[in-house]
Amino acid sequence: MYLYCRYLLDKRWYDQWKEYVHTGDQNSSSYPGKIDNTELYEDLDSYHLKERLTENEDFVLVPAEAWHKLLSWYDMMDDQPPLERKVVDLPSTVKVEVYPVEVYLCLSSNLESTVSARFSRADKIRERNSADEDSYQGPPGVCGLTNLGNTCFMNSALQCLSNTPPLTEYFLKNSYLEELNFTNPLGMKGEIAEAYADVIKQMWSGRHYSVVPRVFKTKVGHFASQFLGYQQHDSQELLSFLLDGLHEDLNRVKKKEYIELRDADGRPDQEVAEEAWHNHLRRNDSVIVDTFHGLFKSTLVCPECNKVSVTFDPFCYLSVPLPVSKERVMEVFYVSLDPTAKPTQYRLIVPKAGRVIDLCAALSQATGIPPNQMAVADVFNHRFYRIYQTDEFLSCILDRDDIFEDSEEAGPSKKEEETQESSQTEEQNNCQSEASPSSEGEERAEEEESSSEPDRGSSTEEGQSACGSTDTNSQDATDVDQSAGAEPSGKEEEDEDEDEEEEEPASCAQANKRLPGRRHYTERRKKALFTMQAVNSNGTTERGMGEADGSFSFSCKCTLMRNSIYYRLLYTSDAFKYIKHQSMDVPHQQTTVQLQECIELFTTVETLEEENPWYCPTCKKHQLATKILDLWSLPEVLIIHLKRFSYTKYSREKLDTIVEFPLRDLDFSGFLLKKTVNSTEPPCRYDLIAVSNHYGGLRDGHYTSYARNKDNGQWYYFDDSKVTYAREEQIVTSAAYLLFYQRQDKIRHPTIPPPIPSSTQPENHISSQTRDGMDGAASCVSMETD
Ligand SMILES: [Zn+2]
């Protein structure tokens, strides 16, 4: 960042001048004459500075003020340029940039003739390009906000508020100056309001492509420590904080009186509502209340004594729930132990609150393989990341969005893996179950194995090949192979043995020793499909078998061995060739709901949850009352918060449901409890003015916004510092998170004509837009002009 300037001054001239000033003799020989920096230059044609000049030896640095004084008193030698240098704010230090960066520019067709240009390290390319940023005269309000490090949540909320006409006009007209409340203990001494006003004024000056809201962010962090630092936050949380902060900073009520709230006690709604609103205004009166506050009716009914409690409460946004599907779509890969069968990808519908066994059941329906012969594993970063138990909740399997994505991984690696282990081979089971569990993972795997026993041995090929002999491991392979060849005929008996063996913490080696006695040895090892290699826990680094301590340490790695086999099966050579089951062809139906459905849900009867009971004054204890919310009156600007982040006992998820919301004519009259009695009442029709979007999953993600410029009626897409034209049909997406609606009677016609976006620019960058040379490409929004 560039702070201010210093001027270079030749040290000899400076010393002479000091001596001269010291003696005070105007006629002395020490008179320095014109400022002369000749000694600092390599030559007087280019005025290039000499290399390796040293401060206080060759030159001194003087502040701008001193420089201009000296210049006015002594003048400068022969058109020498002033050596103005920027002071640059570097991390932990401040530096004067004596030698600016020099860039030579030339055409590649003519390398001979170059043009040189000098830049400061503090210069911005955009400033250099546009000569002077102050000359930018874009439409006011069409201005990006620089991301200061994960601050897109803040930028997104700010853009929505900035495009809320009554609020922005209030700040642009400086009305806030008269209403700043410095003494409100609930406020922030007016500082949030002033910082906000500053950002808004810059954004609407028309002079900036993008504004850096640094001061504003610092203030927000100062008053709400949760927003300190640079983590990602929720744009709704920020908006909520900001609406509250601005309200208290601008509260016209300087001293809040205490008001005792009266219960409705059977009085008519109209009366109770008016009383509640009046009481609210006695303590809260600000531009925020004028613009955003509405009133809803809350009715609680005690399940025991049927006591009805009615209250009217103000709100500044509506948090509406999304219909939560009880089902969940999961995509899994089914890997048969038949090595000739390719892995198959299935799309399954499972109960959201279900367990892993439900997933197996769903796959069983599709494959015909009994669920108890399956094992479910999570493959992540080229290895078996986790093996799930059948009684685990499906909520522990995250959707793909939420799994951390390693940049190294290829497409299919980050998937839930459904592995059918019905034909899991004897040898593996033995090793598996009898290896002393050295980790939780292996233990779990062991249990998985036991469930897959009944059919074991139906296909021995893979097992055999898996443990197929290799040069490096002949002894082990032989032992193992002996078990691998078990015939299906001996199944029953072996299964029982197996169960017994599982009880014992015997080592695999012991098991192997016993095996030859009761297992047939088959000749199938010649058909080896795989070579066996030990791998580390990542399934990546291969190790020579010779290093292992005989079969003992080797056997403890059984789980990993098996994993590595799958790893190879899935990811080697031809890199995971898999088949898509026809269930994958059914287009992934993205649930679509109407905004009106969400608003209806908001007003649906609900029973309070145990964590949040209601104190019944009649029963004198907490009760799980039923609660009904009804909308009573709506504000000029209605903010609707779509509750996409769902936290329940069973799941934490982000709902990607598309909520279809109208851009115009959202009619609330059907939702309002208060019936319009006379024509002086404002209508209940609303038009969309802004949307805050959230892309991504629960923990990460990116915020942007769409907003309609109040002056020209054009929609824009704000992505931090980038602003582009938006078309109306782009606005409704599954990312929409906060909706801003303005009541139609308050919407004013655009005061300037809409811009004409170029049809040849797909991105429609504002910064590159020019008015001239446009062929009358139709504008996206046709608006009347006054
Ligand atoms: Zn009660």
Side-chain angles (χ1 to χ4, degrees), residues 581-597:
H581 183 254
Q582 60 193 36
S583 62
M584 296 297 295
D585 299 338
V586 182
H588 182 55
Q589 277 196 339
Q590 205 156 14
T591 344
T592 303
V593 299
Q594 301 296 314
L595 176 63
Q596 284 85 344
E597 292 175 56

Side-chain angles (χ1 to χ4, degrees), residues 302 304-305 307 616 618-619 623:
C302 176
E304 216 169 291
C305 67
K307 154 88 182 162
C616 173
T618 313
C619 303
Q623 296 280 20

Side-chain angles (χ1 to χ4, degrees), residues 52-60 99:
R52 285 185 282 278
L53 292 174
T54 315
E55 187 183 359
N56 296 328
E57 226 169 84
D58 303 305
F59 65 89
V60 291
Y99 294 97

Side-chain angles (χ1 to χ4, degrees), residues 71-106:
L71 193 64
S72 67
W73 294 331
Y74 299 98
D75 201 5
M76 189 97 183
M77 283 291 280
D78 317 321
D79 306 324
Q80 284 183 18
L83 289 168
E84 180 188 339
R85 291 295 183 265
K86 283 179 177 174
V87 180
V88 185
D89 189 8
L90 297 170
S92 76
T93 177
V94 169
K95 264 191 158 173
V96 179
E97 210 172 31
V98 175
Y99 294 97
V101 182
E102 184 153 24
V103 178
Y104 293 91
L105 306 162
C106 65

Side-chain angles (χ1 to χ4, degrees), residues 690-714:
V691 180
S692 169
N693 300 304
H694 177 266
Y695 302 92
L698 275 179
R699 282 173 297 277
D700 55 351
H702 183 55
Y703 288 93
T704 65
S705 36
Y706 287 108
R708 182 181 167 273
N709 184 277
K710 69 181 177 70
D711 295 338
N712 65 15
Q714 167 71 37

Side-chain angles (χ1 to χ4, degrees), residues 12 28 52 110 127 185 226 282 358 378 563 603 677 693:
R12 289 185 316 170
S28 79
R52 285 185 282 278
N110 181 8
E127 287 166 10
Q226 69 266 33
R282 276 162 72 191
D358 297 309
D378 189 352
N563 293 353
T603 57
V677 280
N693 300 304

